Amino acid sequence: MKRRFLAVLILLATLPSALAAGEGAPKPFERGSWQKLLHAHAGHPTLVHFWGVTCGPCKVELPQLGRFMKDHPGIDVVTISADLVPNLPEATRSMLDNAGLASAENWIFGDGFAERLRFEIDPAWQGDIPRTMLIARDGTITTIEGSAEIADLNKWSDAQAAATR
Amino acid sequence: MISRKPAARILLAAAMLAAFPNLCKAQMSHQHASEAACEETVLRCASKVTPAFAPDGTLWLAWMAGGQISVASSKNQGKSFSAPVQVTRDRLNLDWGPDARPKLAIDAKGDIALAFSIFRDQAFNGQVLTTRSTDGGRSFDPPKPITANNESQRFEAIGFDPAGAVFAVWLDKRNRVPAQQRGEKYDGAGLFFASSNDNGATYSDARMAADNTCECCRLALAFDGAGHPVVVFRNIFDGGVRDHAIVTFTDLATSGELHRVSRDDWQIAACPHHGPSLTISPEGTYHVTWYTNGKARKGLFYARSRDGGKTFSDPLPIGEPSRSPSRPQVIAGPQGLVMAWKEFDGQKTSINLMTSHDDGATWSKPTVAADTTDSSDHPLLVTDGRQTYLSWMTKAEGYHFQVIEGEP
């Protein structure tokens, strides 16, 4: 009896978030998320891309990143929507889908105190997007302000592959 | 049997969550994702608050809260406010970008011109809407587009010139499609302007002052001693360098020559979301503050021009570089110049102030005027001609309006 209640309970409790967000919805990026993210990808070459649905240059760059991810399965691709316009999960997800980034590890700023979130990532970052951080296997971070040149990403990716040989 | 009652209660709670997923979502965003403290349209729930003094000394606030724009006024320098009046009625997707906010200006008769931006479609194309009140802010006309053109517009600024006309300037993407049809690359947005002789009921046809300016930073607008509009904006100079430029208009329908405020050499294809501030002192000096992350310099800076914006002084760094200084504002008040900006130490945001009594030649040591440990709006400065005030909305403490004491 108890167990059946529990099963119904779990089903009901998980239903709304599944309905509201859907599978593959961006995860809320909160205080402490950055350190968790770095820890989870430690030892793997990782590209972290900060963007936003209202940012013009981001709209151009996102599909290029989608292609980059497809061409470089050895690189962990992470996107973080740092736009502060509320109620964005739907629009964010649809732009990621269209850019071929649905299967990337996707996050969205989930704390209105964006200054603090940005400070945890890079105290010098004032919120300009797009912004890309390339994290090498040894943890070295290269930051690209503004739209990244795909040729530069390819070069970095090749260097990462070479480093394993 | 013993477990049934609490289980039933939990089941009810779970069923409620299932039936009202938005309840859960609203709660979540209320506590975490939102910059606002609450979801209603009252001032306490605002994420952006803009102050403006009327010529008769009445303080007006326009704010964004609960998805609507509202106003209220104060006859006692912000100690108490009138009952709020909601300017918008429809459910609009207001532009909540970091540099967006409602703007308002009040003329000598007490008529109010108000402007704001919305996202008018799913692709986040913007639209600038304007409205006015001719009954002292008791009611507002239904908001309407500032221009018939339907390409994306954002970041409007408005003000009354000394003759009582409304001048409006905004960023407008209308030249993008024709450029692309010609097979040309189009960067940024045009700086467009218009004016109104009926307090903002109707605006003249839009004209362009400059093309290919940075599309995502607020504009700074002030009027010089002769009543000419002066606009500072983040431009896109050759090579994609997003440094600041200034234009002094010849009249409300004629733009002037573009001059560069500073050579910061910030080459970036991005949205800095961080616009400049401008004030013009009684001496006729232009005072500008801005943010850059250029090769030549990084951080917040101040410079002044004593020749109508043709040349500027060497940029003066503002704030403590290790505390991420941001959102610089400058105003010429009755006791001199005041500058305000934000700093963040990893936990706490503080508002820092400096003053100058020699038209910007020297500045006082910075002092902390206020702080908060949650999200907050930009610090804004406003004057009623007798004193200068700091206006600051914080999520944790609410709205903050304080006199800035003059330095000895």
Side-chain angles (χ1 to χ4, degrees), chain B residues 253-265:
Chain B
T254 317
S255 173
E257 209 181 324
L258 184 151
H259 297 287
R260 193 164 183 156
V261 174
S262 170
R263 288 185 181 274
D264 305 327
D265 199 13

Side-chain angles (χ1 to χ4, degrees), chain B residues 193-210:
Chain B
F193 63 99
S195 60
S196 168
N197 288 315
D198 51 16
N199 300 334
T202 56
Y203 281 84
S204 63
D205 287 344
R207 293 169 189 233
M208 189 174 75

Side-chain angles (χ1 to χ4, degrees), chain A residues 1-2 5 8-9 12-13 15-17 19-20 28 30-31 53-57 59 83-89 91 95 109-119 123-131 145-147, chain B residues 3-4 7 10-11 14-15 17-18 21 25 29 32-35 93-94 96-98 119 123-124 154 215 242 266 268-274 291 293 322 324-327 342 344-347 349 372-376:
Chain A
M1 190 68 180
K2 236 185 197 175
F5 264 129
V8 173
L9 182 72
L12 285 173
L15 197 62
S17 56
L19 280 178
E30 287 155 352
R31 203 171 181 185
V53 294
T54 66
C55 148
K59 290 184 192 177
D83 233 334
L84 294 177
V85 182
N87 304 320
L88 276 181
M95 278 181 74
F109 268 21
D111 184 330
F113 199 8
E115 281 148 315
R116 195 174 59 196
L117 292 182
R118 288 199 298 261
F119 197 90
W125 179 32
Q126 290 277 5
D128 45 279
I129 44 176
R131 188 179 184 91
E145 283 188 353
S147 303
Chain B
S3 67
R4 194 173 246 178
I10 296 166
L11 190 65
L17 279 175
K25 243 166 72 184
S29 68
H32 303 291
S34 178
E35 294 168 277
N93 190 8
L94 297 173
W96 291 79
F119 294 121
F124 293 92
R154 283 177 87 186
E215 66 270 51
R242 298 198 186 216
W266 193 12
I268 186 171
C271 286
H273 291 310
H274 211 144
Y291 165 72
N293 201 23
S322 67
S324 190
S326 67
R327 311 296 172 193
K342 274 182 168 183
F344 183 64
D345 66 4
Q347 298 294 331
T349 300
T372 189
T373 53
D374 205 334
S375 59
S376 61

Side-chain angles (χ1 to χ4, degrees), chain B residues 89-270:
Chain B
R89 293 275 154 213
D90 300 334
R91 235 188 123 68
L92 298 167
N93 190 8
L94 297 173
D95 182 347
W96 291 79
D99 246 2
R101 65 176 57 255
K103 320 290 183 329
L104 77 170
I106 305 101
D107 76 357
K109 299 195 301 291
D111 289 351
I112 301 169
L114 194 143
F116 58 95
S117 294
I118 59 165
F119 294 121
R120 69 173 157 73
D121 60 25
Q122 293 299 311
F124 293 92
N125 283 304
Q127 184 173 48
V128 175
L129 299 179
T130 66
T131 175
R132 65 163 185 173
S133 169
T134 52
D135 58 6
R138 277 185 286 279
S139 67
F140 284 81
D141 294 350
K144 55 185 187 190
I146 197 164
T147 172
N149 188 283
N150 219 20
E151 290 302 321
S152 189
Q153 313 130 19
R154 283 177 87 186
F155 301 113
E156 71 292 337
I158 59 167
F160 279 99
D161 82 343
V166 185
F167 179 78
V169 58
W170 67 91
L171 298 177
D172 193 310
K173 287 241 183 201
R174 71 181 67 191
N175 291 340
R176 176 179 49 177
V177 173
Q180 284 170 346
Q181 281 167 352
R182 291 193 301 270
E184 295 164 11
K185 190 169 174 276
Y186 182 83
D187 283 330
L191 182 75
F192 277 71
F193 63 99
S195 60
S196 168
N197 288 315
D198 51 16
N199 300 334
T202 56
Y203 281 84
S204 63
D205 287 344
R207 293 169 189 233
M208 189 174 75
D211 206 357
N212 303 116
T213 73
C214 181
E215 66 270 51
C216 32
C217 291
R218 68 159 189 251
L219 309 174
L221 166 68
F223 293 90
D224 71 8
H228 302 139
V230 184
V231 179
V232 179
F233 53 98
R234 194 183 290 281
N235 195 27
I236 306 181
F237 289 99
D238 285 348
V241 172
R242 298 198 186 216
D243 288 355
H244 285 88
I246 189 162
V247 169
T248 301
F249 285 68
T250 310
D251 56 52
L252 297 191
T254 317
S255 173
E257 209 181 324
L258 184 151
H259 297 287
R260 193 164 183 156
V261 174
S262 170
R263 288 185 181 274
D264 305 327
D265 199 13
W266 193 12
Q267 185 183 29
I268 186 171

